[in-house]
């Protein structure tokens, strides 16, 4: 392994009594990338972060950082910056004191400390806040101080443990973009832990989705969203229309029979006739055909392969779009996300509606029960 490589975990395992928190996890974080560990509570994502930070000792496996085995190093010796959800600032210290603390622990000269703190506060746009105390700052400002403290000593890696969880939505979205820009600008290797799927899609170069102590899928955000490797990933990432059925073939065309009245046409994905699979269609790929929607205009020139009739059972207004829950004729439910245009009336509960999607918008998950 060369020094320009980032973090590599090999066979990392951790048990808490009979509970398996990490189950022989292999993971490589490239130098300079932001990789997000995403998963529900209890999936092992926080334990993985704590093993990397040195707060938990693994029961097996190794942790390598830039070619150095840090598996058994104390946290303070790993040269890793950390940002926590609760900020973890010292309330009795000023902003300057908080940011200077890791430099003082490294016994740097005062002149260098002053220079580095000035630089870090400038990076997070808090130049004039050095003499304030944490209690005098907003939540967003406190998180910026925590970020400045994490980068001030030029760490080999940055760990972020759900850092925006305590912030309101607007501020959270703002800081997400700021952290992404900062990480790019400084070329930091970063491991970000969250349970927020949207946050992971916005921030990440790659995403590792965890389930039951294992990595269920590792890939770029577009791949994770559009081509999930399992029903778990498909259901966990974003909203999904998931149906199970059996692959059928007729005249060289493939479909999945999900019920006596529901057959979904698919492309040739290498599945075999008789094989049990799951089919995934994202709500934004399903188009209403009634009225003057975009879907109706598309359907007039190129009818989608899959068309179904149903009744609108629920409408959720989302501002620029609506989310519809459609009950199909066989009783199955389908989510639709669409954008009414101009003065066009949106859907209402009880409306009869036909919906459609193309075979190319169907993702087939093989090996599904």
């Amino acid at each position: 392994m060369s020094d320009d490589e980032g973090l590599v975990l090999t066979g990392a395992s951790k048990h808490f009594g009979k509970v398996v928190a990490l189950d022989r996890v292999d993971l490589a974080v490239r130098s300079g990338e932001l990789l997000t560990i995403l998963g529900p509570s209890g999936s092992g994502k926080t334990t993985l972060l704590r093993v990397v930070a040195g707060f938990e000792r693994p029961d097996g496996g190794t942790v390598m950082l830039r070619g150095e085995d840090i598996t058994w190093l104390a946290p303070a010796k790993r040269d890793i910056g950390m940002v926590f959800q609760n900020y973890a600032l010292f309330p009795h210290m000023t902003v300057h004191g908080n940011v200077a603390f890791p430099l003082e622990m490294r016994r740097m000269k005062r002149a260098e400390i002053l220079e580095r703190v000035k630089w870090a506060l400038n990076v997070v746009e808090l130049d004039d806040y050095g003499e304030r105390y944490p209690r005098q700052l907003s939540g967003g400002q406190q998180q910026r101080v925590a970020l400045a403290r994490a980068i001030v000593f030029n760490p080999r890696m940055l760990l972020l443990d759900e850092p925006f969880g305590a912030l309101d939505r607007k501020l959270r979205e703002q800081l997400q973009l700021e952290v992404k820009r900062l990480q790019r600008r400084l070329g930091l290797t970063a491991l970000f832990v969250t349970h927020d799927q949207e946050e992971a899609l916005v921030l990440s170069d790659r995403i590792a989705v965890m389930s039951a102590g294992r990595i269920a899928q590792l890939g770029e955000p577009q791949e994770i969203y559009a081509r999930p490797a399992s029903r778990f990933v498909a259901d966990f990432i974003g909203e999904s229309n998931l149906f199970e059925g059996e692959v059928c073939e007729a005249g060289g065309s493939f479909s999945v029979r999900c019920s006596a009245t529901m057959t979904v046409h698919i492309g040739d994905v290498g599945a075999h006739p008789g094989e049990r699979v799951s089919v995934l269609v994202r709500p934004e790929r399903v188009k209403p055909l009634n009225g003057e929607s975009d879907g109706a205009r598309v359907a007039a020139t190129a009818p989608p392969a899959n068309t179904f009739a149903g009744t609108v059972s629920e409408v959720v207004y989302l501002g620029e779009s609506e989310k519809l829950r459609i009950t199909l004729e066989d009783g199955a439910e389908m989510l639709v996300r669409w954008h009414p245009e101009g003065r066009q009336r949106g859907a209402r509960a009880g409306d009869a509606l036909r919906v459609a999607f193309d075979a190319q918008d169907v993702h087939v998950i093989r090996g599904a029960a």
Side-chain angles (χ1 to χ4, degrees), residues 107-158:
R107 301 186 182 280
M108 288 187 177
K109 295 181 179 178
R110 179 169 176 77
E112 186 176 358
I113 289 175
L114 291 174
E115 182 179 341
R116 294 292 302 178
V117 171
K118 181 179 179 180
W119 167 82
L121 291 179
N122 176 261
V123 166
V124 298
E125 300 180 354
L126 290 176
D127 304 73
D128 300 326
Y129 289 77
E131 298 310 311
R132 297 193 187 186
Y133 288 87
R135 64 179 180 275
Q136 298 173 309
L137 305 176
S138 67
Q141 290 168 338
Q142 289 184 55
Q143 195 57 281
R144 289 172 192 243
V145 175
L147 185 58
R149 183 179 60 186
I151 65 172
V152 71
F153 58 92
N154 191 25
R156 294 194 291 177
M157 186 169 191
L158 183 63

Side-chain angles (χ1 to χ4, degrees), residues 36-49:
T36 294
I37 304 296
L38 176 66
S41 298
S43 61
K45 59 186 186 297
T46 298
T47 301
L48 188 149
L49 192 80

